[in-house]
Amino acid sequence: AAANSAAAQSAATSAANASLAAASSAAAQPQKVATSTASNNVVSADTTGNTYPYGQCTWYVKGDLSWVGNHWGNASAWPSSATAAGHTVNSTASVGAVAYFAPGVGGASAYGHVAVVDSVNSDGTITISEANYAGKLYNSRTISLSSVSGFIHQ
């Protein structure tokens, strides 16, 4: 039964991804996808040309920051992919940068995690927005700089 369930889930995911890809390529104007959380916060993400799987942290960051490249791989590969694409990767936070979490850092899975830096606070914290964190499609949280592996800049 578990194998059938996994196969069905895989088929459903493939169909959904194909549908999203077709919708993105057919759109003449950037699409805005609104999502809401239990607290009714609404977030929009531009999904035009976004090749990352819907709902993943990489999908959210690419939708929010158009300068982020497609096909950078899982979040754990983003620092090297961004460097190869000519972006600066360092330990300095700035608004509009990508915060990245290496696997196992800050609760990141084996795939790593990425988020958008929304503010750099005077108390040494940053506020980030992200997807696929703590079981939520969208999340915003304030964290210490020491909980982040580094930052990717435009």
Side-chain angles (χ1 to χ4, degrees):
N4 288 339
S5 175
Q9 183 179 5
S10 177
T13 300
S14 295
N17 287 341
S19 176
L20 284 170
S24 289
S25 65
Q29 297 295 322
Q31 299 173 7
K32 294 291 183 180
V33 176
T35 59
S36 62
T37 63
S39 62
N40 291 325
N41 292 329
V42 175
V43 60
S44 293
D46 182 351
T47 61
T48 302
N50 191 334
T51 60
Y52 297 100
Y54 172 82
Q56 296 298 316
C57 61
T58 50
W59 167 84
Y60 174 79
V61 172
K62 172 60 180 166
D64 201 42
L65 302 175
S66 61
W67 58 267
V68 167
N70 280 304
H71 310 291
W72 280 4
N74 291 319
S76 61
W78 277 36
S80 59
S81 294
T83 299
H87 297 282
T88 300
V89 178
N90 60 28
S91 60
T92 304
S94 65
V95 173
V98 175
Y100 72 88
F101 303 79
V105 174
S109 74
Y111 299 108
H113 187 67
V114 288
V116 176
V117 178
D118 295 320
S119 67
V120 179
N121 309 315
S122 60
D123 64 356
T125 62
I126 59 172
T127 302
I128 60 172
S129 56
E130 61 200 335
N132 195 26
Y133 178 81
K136 299 177 186 176
L137 180 60
Y138 172 78
N139 187 61
S140 177
R141 58 186 167 133
T142 300
I143 60 174
S144 69
L145 284 171
S146 62
S147 66
V148 179
S149 299
F151 301 92
I152 302 168
H153 304 272
Q154 184 175 4

